[in-house]
Amino acid sequence: MSLRGAGRRRVLALGLGVALPTVLLAVGWWLASLREQAGLAREHEASRRQTAERVAAAVREGLEELRRREDARPFYLYNHFYSPPEVLALGDAVAVSPLAADPDDPRILGHFQVDPGGRVRTPYPVDDDHPGSPRADQILAVATTPAFAPLRAQSFGEPAPDTRLAQADLRPRDQDAPLTTNIGQLSNRAYQDLAAQTNDPEPQQAPQQQQAARPRKQVPITSRNQVSWEAIQSQQMRNVPLAQANDAAPLFEQSAAQQLLDPIPAQQTSDNLSNRPGRKAQARAPTQARQQPQPPQQAAPSQPSAPLPASIAAGMPQGTEVDYTPMAYLTLGDALVLQRVVSHAETGSVQGVLLDRAYLVDTWLPAVAARHAPAGELPRVVVDADACADPQAVSEHLPGVWLCFAAPAAPPDHLAFQAGALLGLIVIVGVGVVVVARAARRADELSAQKTAFVSAVSHELRTPLTTLRMHAELLQEGLVAPGSLATIHDDLVRESVRLSRLVENVLAVSQLEEGRRVLDLRPGDLAALIREVALGQARHIASKGFTVELDLPDELRCRFDAQAIEQIVVNLLDNALKYAAESDDRRLRVALLAQPGRAVLHVQDRGPGIPVSDRERVFQRFVRVQRASTAHTPGTGLGLSLVRDLARAHGGDAHARARPGGGADIEVWLPRELS
């Protein structure tokens, strides 16, 4: 137990002194690698966020530039015809609105105006001669959908008369109509009169007389008055009849119309760009918007006209202010619009710019991202946030549109190599510890076996030497009676043979271990040699009270080393005598069988037999089956080990089996090659 304990302590010391530091160093290296990978991932994440912020800032700037440009447009450009203020002094000049043509900005689908009563019109030509353009039809189809109902509800005041071109003269009540709904009619009438004057078949009157006779269509000069959305809301509330005020109030406080009347200022930078799917942005309450009103836009007022002749200026207003709210972005369903309210004389119209969301998402946003994203980090623009591991919002004006970055190109091979190296190192250390532990355990076992062998050999040597010395002293002193001389002589011979056999076994094992034992294989009769050895041991067997039964063929030829076969038979018989000493059946059986390609020798007894768990161990050196009945049986544990070693040296082997009926059966087989 002390040797085993010392071996365990050595293994534990080895594990703590070598394996543990190695494993700790390897784990530290692995953790450092993981930290390095985490740092690279954080750097990549920060780079992606910076890229997303740059792209989002560029998108905000682009949309803000578009908002400022549209915000600067005078309201009368939303009519097909208009009278340029800078040339009114020269006469009734009429021009076609630049908005009547296809937009020069591909982000814009078109412009529209919603008048009181919900009528939607566009600056594109729609009259008896122009029943409608495809762009006008497209804009009207979108602006009249239910999704635009809250936006249409922002207009207020008395519904305007039919704004299409009419052949009849303007009625007097039209002269007093609000500019937001009537200035288009004035321009249309001026255009018709100008066209009629150009095509007049009787131009006999002088130009001055024609100008004096022609009724003046007073298209007023307007100036911009920037107002807040709260002021427009107040105007709208004042124009709601008292009977409808209570019904209308919830609309402004709770419905989508209130959100339209109090939009998020376009210039304000949003802090919600980092919103992720599943985190819906909190809608700004109207009170919050009123607490942070947008600064008034410094809109450029209309250019004043040149001084007019007194005859013209006398019948024409000198200037009229029109209230403008700032343009603001608004999402209605799948549509994105820029919208404002222009009002005059307690009547307000909604003017809007319908943006091409498909073009923004498919063309404009990828182009902006390509210009502002560094090489190797170009994100994709997607509308499905689930397709990205870490989507980044593009703009608060484009909800549901995300920047999708490619997965980081982490070094999986490097990480896999590190993991493999760490695992391999741990496995090597573990295998090394196991091997050393087994070696230490084997060394302890060998040490214990050698200790047992030394003890057994000492006992085995002491017993015959003691007998020999005692008998020799008796003979020397003449104390042996003449009748006892034969017994004394037999004891001397028997103990000498026993001592000689022990020495031969030890020498044979030593020679086999060192490779100095070379067998002299010669063809011969194996059956005859076994019979001779067994009969030579008959007297010794009989002295132990046993008999031997031989079951041998007349002749069995094979190649063998005679001295080795003699040692095999003697050790097998000696082993049977030792362990069957307490058996009632004191017969030993020696049998030799001829089988295809080999000769099989059996030495059987009727002793207690060998347990199944020990049938291989008994062939190891210094191993003996531990039994209470055989604890004091002499032996060194070398006999069966030597039998197997000699059999294998011949090319055969040895095995232990149970004898039918009880007892042990040691089988040794040798090859029968004669050449």
Side-chain angles (χ1 to χ4, degrees):
M1 291 296 295
S2 61
L3 292 176
R4 291 184 179 180
R8 292 195 185 102
R9 287 193 295 273
R10 287 197 300 272
V11 172
L12 180 60
L14 176 66
L16 294 177
V18 178
L20 184 59
T22 304
V23 172
L24 290 178
L25 288 175
V27 172
W29 172 57
W30 170 253
L31 293 178
S33 299
L34 290 180
R35 286 195 296 270
E36 180 184 2
Q37 295 298 326
L40 293 176
R42 287 193 297 270
E43 291 179 4
H44 185 78
E45 176 67 16
S47 176
R48 288 192 300 174
R49 292 190 181 277
Q50 291 177 0
T51 300
E53 290 175 359
R54 285 197 298 269
V55 173
V59 171
R60 286 196 300 271
E61 180 61 27
L63 294 178
E64 175 60 15
E65 182 275 332
L66 175 61
R67 191 202 68 80
R68 288 195 298 265
R69 187 183 67 199
E70 294 300 326
D71 188 74
R73 295 188 190 277
F75 80 98
Y76 47 76
L77 293 184
Y78 279 73
N79 296 289
H80 182 66
F81 295 108
Y82 77 104
S83 298
E86 63 273 12
V87 297
L88 282 177
L90 304 179
D92 295 328
V94 178
V96 177
S97 171
L99 301 183
D102 290 338
D104 55 359
D105 190 334
R107 295 174 293 180
I108 297 176
L109 284 177
H111 300 72
F112 64 92
Q113 177 170 314
V114 180
D115 290 330
R119 175 183 173 84
V120 180
R121 55 192 173 96
T122 68
Y124 309 106
V126 180
D127 54 33
D128 295 337
D129 298 330
H130 302 84
S133 65
R135 185 173 297 274
D137 295 339
Q138 180 183 8
I139 301 303
L140 292 175
V142 175
T144 55
T145 58
F148 277 67
L151 186 142
R152 294 194 299 270
Q154 293 183 82
S155 62
F156 59 90
E158 292 296 329
D162 192 355
T163 57
R164 293 180 301 173
L165 293 177
Q167 301 297 328
D169 292 335
L170 288 174
R171 289 166 290 182
R173 65 184 179 89
D174 294 335
Q175 300 285 354
D176 298 328
L179 293 179
T180 58
T181 60
N182 195 45
I183 196 168
Q185 291 177 287
L186 298 177
S187 297
N188 291 341
R189 288 296 298 156
Y191 172 78
Q192 288 181 336
D193 292 346
L194 183 62
Q197 179 183 359
T198 303
N199 299 324
D200 190 352
E202 299 178 356
Q204 289 84 4
Q205 296 180 345
Q208 294 82 2
Q209 295 175 343
Q210 293 178 5
Q211 186 176 11
R214 183 165 33 89
R216 175 68 59 183
K217 311 303 183 298
Q218 297 178 350
V219 179
I221 300 174
T222 62
S223 62
R224 177 191 295 253
N225 180 36
Q226 196 81 9
V227 298
S228 65
W229 284 92
E230 289 82 358
I232 291 297
Q233 181 179 352
S234 300
Q235 293 184 38
Q236 187 174 16
M237 290 296 295
R238 286 196 301 271
N239 281 272
V240 175
L242 183 60
Q244 301 176 4
N246 294 332
D247 297 335
L251 175 67
F252 300 132
E253 293 297 329
Q254 300 177 2
S255 69
Q258 171 60 23
Q259 299 178 15
L260 297 177
L261 292 174
D262 197 16
I264 299 174
Q267 295 91 338
Q268 183 177 356
T269 302
S270 173
D271 294 332
N272 297 327
L273 281 179
S274 61
N275 287 343
R276 297 289 180 270
R279 297 183 181 177
K280 296 185 178 179
Q282 297 287 339
R284 173 176 293 189
T287 57
Q288 294 174 337
R290 285 193 289 271
Q291 291 171 2
Q292 298 178 354
Q294 179 182 355
Q297 294 287 328
Q298 298 297 326
S302 302
Q303 296 291 336
S305 63
L308 299 178
S311 59
I312 299 178
M316 187 173 191
Q318 296 302 314
T320 302
E321 284 190 350
V322 177
D323 294 335
Y324 290 74
T325 63
M327 277 283 187
Y329 281 99
L330 186 66
T331 300
L332 296 173
D334 294 333
L336 178 64
V337 296
L338 272 168
Q339 47 87 35
R340 69 184 178 188
V341 175
V342 293
S343 65
H344 173 70
E346 300 299 327
T347 301
S349 298
V350 179
Q351 293 184 338
V353 182
L354 181 61
L355 302 183
D356 190 346
R357 181 184 175 90
Y359 178 84
L360 290 174
V361 174
D362 298 336
T363 305
W364 184 68
L365 289 178
V368 173
R371 287 196 303 270
H372 295 85
E377 292 188 2
L378 179 62
R380 295 182 295 112
V381 178
V382 299
V383 294
D384 183 10
D386 296 334
C388 293
D390 186 21
Q392 305 287 331
V394 176
S395 172
E396 68 274 15
H397 305 312
L398 293 170
V401 181
W402 309 89
L403 292 178
C404 181
F405 290 87
D413 294 337
H414 180 61
L415 198 61
F417 170 76
Q418 291 178 344
L422 175 61
L423 182 60
L425 182 60
I426 293 177
V427 169
I428 291 173
V429 172
V431 171
V433 171
V434 171
V435 170
V436 172
R438 294 186 62 181
R441 185 170 63 252
R442 180 59 179 165
D444 292 340
E445 292 176 354
L446 290 177
S447 178
Q449 291 174 0
K450 288 181 179 179
T451 301
F453 169 71
V454 170
S455 177
V457 169
S458 299
H459 178 74
E460 289 294 308
L461 289 175
R462 185 182 296 114
T463 300
L465 287 176
T466 300
T467 302
L468 290 175
R469 180 178 178 179
M470 182 184 66
H471 286 17
E473 289 178 350
L474 289 175
L475 290 174
Q476 183 181 13
E477 298 293 335
L479 299 177
V480 179
S484 301
L485 287 176
T487 303
I488 295 296
H489 291 158
D490 289 341
D491 290 341
L492 291 174
V493 171
R494 183 178 66 253
E495 295 301 329
S496 298
V497 170
R498 178 181 174 184
L499 182 61
S500 175
R501 185 179 299 119
L502 175 62
V503 173
E504 288 178 356
N505 285 342
V506 172
L507 290 177
V509 170
S510 176
Q511 290 174 353
L512 288 173
E513 284 184 347
E514 296 175 0
R516 294 185 291 107
R517 177 71 180 269
V518 179
L519 298 183
D520 184 13
L521 300 179
R522 296 183 180 182
D525 187 356
L526 182 60
L529 177 60
I530 293 175
R531 184 180 294 108
E532 179 183 352
V533 174
L535 293 177
Q537 295 291 317
R539 185 178 177 183
H540 174 64
I541 294 173
S543 66
K544 299 292 185 179
F546 283 84
T547 60
V548 60
E549 298 178 355
L550 300 180
D551 185 6
L552 306 174
D554 294 337
E555 183 181 22
L556 183 58
R557 308 279 305 175
C558 62
R559 290 172 59 84
F560 56 87
D561 184 306
Q563 184 181 1
I565 297 301
E566 181 180 358
Q567 285 183 297
I568 289 174
V569 175
V570 170
N571 279 285
L572 291 178
L573 291 173
D574 187 60
N575 183 77
L577 291 173
K578 289 178 183 178
Y579 291 98
E582 303 296 330
S583 175
D584 295 335
D585 188 347
R586 307 180 71 82
R587 291 177 298 174
L588 304 181
R589 181 174 181 270
V590 178
L592 180 64
L593 303 176
Q595 294 182 356
R598 64 180 189 173
V600 182
L601 172 64
H602 292 271
V603 177
Q604 301 171 339
D605 61 67
R606 291 297 182 181
I610 303 174
V612 177
S613 59
D614 292 331
R615 288 177 185 174
E616 283 298 317
R617 293 183 64 251
V618 294
F619 290 101
Q620 298 177 7
R621 290 179 176 83
F622 316 122
V623 174
R624 302 177 65 191
V625 177
Q626 299 297 327
R627 292 192 182 93
S629 60
T630 60
H632 300 287
T633 301
T636 60
L638 289 177
L640 293 182
S641 173
L642 181 60
V643 167
R644 172 170 278 186
D645 289 343
L646 292 175
R648 288 180 175 178
H650 281 80
D653 206 347
H655 301 284
R657 293 183 173 83
R659 182 181 182 183
D665 179 7
I666 307 300
E667 173 189 287
V668 178
W669 67 271
L670 304 175
R672 293 185 59 188
E673 291 83 359
L674 298 179
S675 57

